[in-house]
C-alpha cells in the first residue's frame, strides 16, 4: 500500500464482529477483507463510515453492499485461484476487488458509465489488478470470456437472467438476489451435468438489476 492506512483497526473489527462472528469462516475470504481498503470504495466524505455494518450510497441512487453480505456472497462462490469470474453490477468496485484477490480473472459489468469510471479509479488506487470493468447490460452476460466458473449478480431481479445460466461453466456457482423490487431471497445455483441445483441463502435487499433480462428501467430501457 502506498498510502498509510488509518483504518486498519476498524477493518480488523469489521472482519471479526460483522463477518467471522456471523459465520463466514473461509480464511481466504477473511484475509481478502482484511487486506482490501474498503474506505477507498466509498464517496469522499464517507470514509469514516466505510466499516460500518450497513450499505452506503455511492451516487446515482446505487449502494456499496453491507460488508457481511459481500462476505457471505464471496464465500458461497467457493472460488479457486485459477477461476474466471463474472460480476454483474460493479458499483464501487469493492466486491470486484475481493473477487480479484481470490480468483484468476474477473470481468465486472456496470450499466452506468460514471460508476464504471469511478470503480476503475478506486481499483487502481487500491492497487488491484486483474479486474476488467465493462460498461453494458450485464443481464446479457459477457459472451467473449464465457464460460465462467463463478457468476455474482449484485443487483436484484425478478428471476435469474437465462444468458447468465448459459454462460456458467460445468461445476460453476452463481449467486444472485431474486425476487420483488424492494427485498429478495439470495439464491445460489450450482451447475452439474448441465442441470442447475438451487440453494436458498436467506433474505437480502438489493437495488434493482435493470436490463433486458432484469427489471425495466425508467425512461428508455
Ligand atoms: N457490487 C457493488 C455494488 C453494486 S450496486 C459494489 O461492490 O460496490 C448494484 C450495481 O448494479 C449498480 O451500480 C447498478 O448501476 C448496477 N446495475 C444495475 N443493473 C445492471 C445491469 N443490467 N448491468 C450491469 N450493472 C447493472
Amino acid at each position: 500500500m502506498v498510502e498509510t492506512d488509518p483504518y486498519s483497526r476498524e477493518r480488523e473489527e469489521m472482519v471479526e464482529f460483522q463477518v467471522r462472528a456471523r459465520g463466514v469462516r473461509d480464511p481466504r475470504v477473511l484475509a481478502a477483507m482484511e487486506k482490501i481498503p474498503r474506505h477507498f470504495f466509498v464517496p469522499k466524505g464517507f470514509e469514516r463510515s466505510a466499516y460500518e455494518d450497513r450499505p452506503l450510497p455511492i451516487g446515482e441512487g446505487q449502494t456499496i453492499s453491507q460488508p457481511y453480505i459481500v462476505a457471505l456472497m464471496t464465500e458461497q462462490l467457493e472460488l479457486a485461484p485459477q477461476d474466471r469470474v463474472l460480476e454483474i453490477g460493479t458499483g464501487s468496485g469493492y466486491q470486484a476487488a475481493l473477487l480479484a484477490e481470490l480468483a484468476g480473472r474477473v470481468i465486472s459489468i456496470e450499466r452506468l458509465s460514471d460508476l464504471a469510471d469511478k470503480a476503475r479509479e478506486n481499483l487502481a488506487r487500491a492497487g488491484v489488478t486483474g479486474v476488467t470493468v465493462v460498461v453494458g447490460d450485464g443481464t446479457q452476460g459477457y459472451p467473449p470470456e464465457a464460460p465462467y466458473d463463478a457468476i455474482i449478480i449484485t443487483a436484484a431481479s425478478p428471476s435469474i437472467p437465462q444468458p447468465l445460466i448459459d454462460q456458467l461453466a460445468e461445476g460453476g456457482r452463481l449467486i444472485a438476489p431474486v425476487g420483488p423490487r424492494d427485498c429478495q431471497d439470495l439464491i445460489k445455483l450450482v451447475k452439474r451435468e448441465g442441470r442447475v441445483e438451487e440453494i436458498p441463502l436467506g433474505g437480502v435487499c438489493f437495488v434493482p438489476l435493470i436490463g433486458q433480462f432484469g427489471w425495466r428501467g425508467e425512461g428508455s430501457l
Side-chain angles (χ1 to χ4, degrees):
M1 202 72 26
V2 268
E3 296 162 72
T4 56
D5 188 346
Y7 293 101
S8 54
R9 167 100 186 263
E10 284 185 49
R11 194 157 55 249
E12 273 169 32
E13 290 180 354
M14 171 191 83
V15 171
E16 181 56 31
F17 301 116
Q18 298 177 39
V19 176
R20 218 187 73 79
R22 290 185 183 140
V24 174
R25 299 286 159 81
D26 183 334
R28 296 182 65 226
V29 174
L30 301 178
M33 292 190 83
E34 257 166 39
K35 179 171 170 190
I36 299 297
R38 182 169 159 99
H39 60 282
F40 282 9
F41 294 86
V42 299
K44 268 207 169 19
F46 281 85
E47 289 88 349
R48 292 176 62 184
S49 299
Y51 297 95
E52 290 175 9
D53 190 12
R54 60 185 175 109
L56 289 171
I58 55 170
E60 314 264 344
Q62 308 303 323
T63 55
I64 175 174
S65 306
Q66 180 191 7
Y68 168 67
I69 296 298
V70 175
L72 175 68
M73 292 173 82
T74 306
E75 180 177 58
Q76 290 292 330
L77 285 175
E78 301 174 61
L79 297 173
Q82 72 284 1
D83 277 356
R84 180 186 296 269
V85 185
L86 178 67
E87 179 189 30
I88 316 302
T90 315
S92 67
Y94 177 66
Q95 172 75 72
L98 293 173
L99 299 173
E101 276 296 305
L102 299 169
R105 169 121 178 85
V106 179
I107 308 285
S108 183
I109 310 182
E110 172 54 53
R111 174 180 165 256
L112 302 171
S113 60
D114 285 358
L115 287 182
D117 288 344
K118 186 68 190 160
R120 289 189 193 105
E121 199 183 303
N122 295 344
L123 288 161
R125 186 173 165 218
V128 176
T129 55
V131 177
T132 303
V133 177
V134 176
V135 176
D137 174 12
T139 69
Q140 300 172 26
Y142 190 70
E145 302 250 359
Y148 300 94
D149 303 297
I151 299 179
I152 174 170
I153 313 179
T154 62
S157 63
S159 62
I160 296 174
Q162 187 61 43
L164 298 177
I165 298 174
D166 295 342
Q167 289 171 37
L168 193 62
E170 175 58 31
R173 292 80 55 201
L174 182 154
I175 312 273
V178 179
R181 213 162 161 132
D182 48 350
C183 287
Q184 309 84 26
D185 292 318
L186 195 58
I187 301 290
K188 175 177 183 175
L189 292 190
V190 181
K191 198 184 248 187
R192 285 200 189 98
E193 287 158 21
R195 299 173 55 125
V196 287
E197 181 193 343
E198 205 175 297
I199 304 151
L201 298 175
V204 287
C205 303
F206 273 83
V207 296
L209 181 73
I210 294 167
Q212 190 184 349
F213 298 91
W215 293 102
R216 291 194 162 267
E218 284 144 41
S220 58
L221 261 174

